[in-house]
Amino acid sequence: QVQLVESGGGAVQAGGSLRLSCEASNFFRINTMGWYRQAPGKERRLVARVSSRDGTVYADSMEDRFTIYRDDAESTVELRMNSLEPEDTAVYYCYTNGYAGVYDLARDYWGQGTQVTVSS
């Protein structure tokens, strides 16, 4: 059974830094790994992703402060967030598109989400 396990997150003051990590397990093959976030009352939106086809993609204005790292050997993806702002407060979700088994179609998978709270 495929699984995404997230770690990191928490509460920090504005200007601080946090690191989110996600480990994928039991996938036959992974196409894309990344992070999305969902603020209260808003839709889930892309933060950054890394795919074998498109490379690294950041949402607008994210690349200035956020950096995504993907380790294919370990099936992990990490999001390093610097100069955090109260507007970054959200639940952050690990995202993977991949194949659970050799006969399966590729589909999207989501982690359980981790809360990031930035206070002013």
Side-chain angles (χ1 to χ4, degrees):
Q1 183 175 355
V2 299
Q3 194 173 17
L4 296 175
V5 178
E6 301 163 344
S7 60
V12 66
Q13 290 189 331
S17 300
L18 284 174
R19 181 182 301 183
L20 306 181
S21 296
C22 176
E23 181 177 5
S25 58
N26 301 323
F27 281 84
F28 170 70
R29 190 171 79 200
I30 294 174
N31 294 324
T32 303
M33 295 192 77
W35 292 92
Y36 284 69
R37 70 184 187 184
Q38 186 168 17
K42 296 187 177 181
E43 295 183 349
R44 191 174 299 185
R45 300 183 63 183
L46 172 70
V47 176
R49 65 174 185 259
V50 183
S51 73
S52 53
R53 184 182 66 180
D54 301 326
T56 302
V57 175
Y58 288 91
D60 290 344
S61 77
M62 296 292 182
E63 191 170 6
D64 294 342
R65 300 181 294 119
F66 294 1
T67 306
I68 189 170
Y69 296 94
R70 176 177 169 178
D71 185 332
D72 289 336
E74 299 293 330
S75 296
T76 59
V77 63
E78 185 176 277
L79 184 68
R80 299 180 183 178
M81 304 181 291
N82 297 315
S83 302
L84 284 162
E85 304 168 352
E87 292 73 22
D88 296 316
T89 295
V91 178
Y92 285 70
Y93 294 91
C94 178
Y95 163 81
T96 296
N97 178 275
Y99 301 82
V102 63
Y103 298 111
D104 292 324
L105 298 175
R107 51 157 287 191
D108 296 336
Y109 296 86
W110 298 91
Q112 77 278 10
T114 184
Q115 178 70 45
V116 171
T117 301
V118 185
S119 58
S120 57

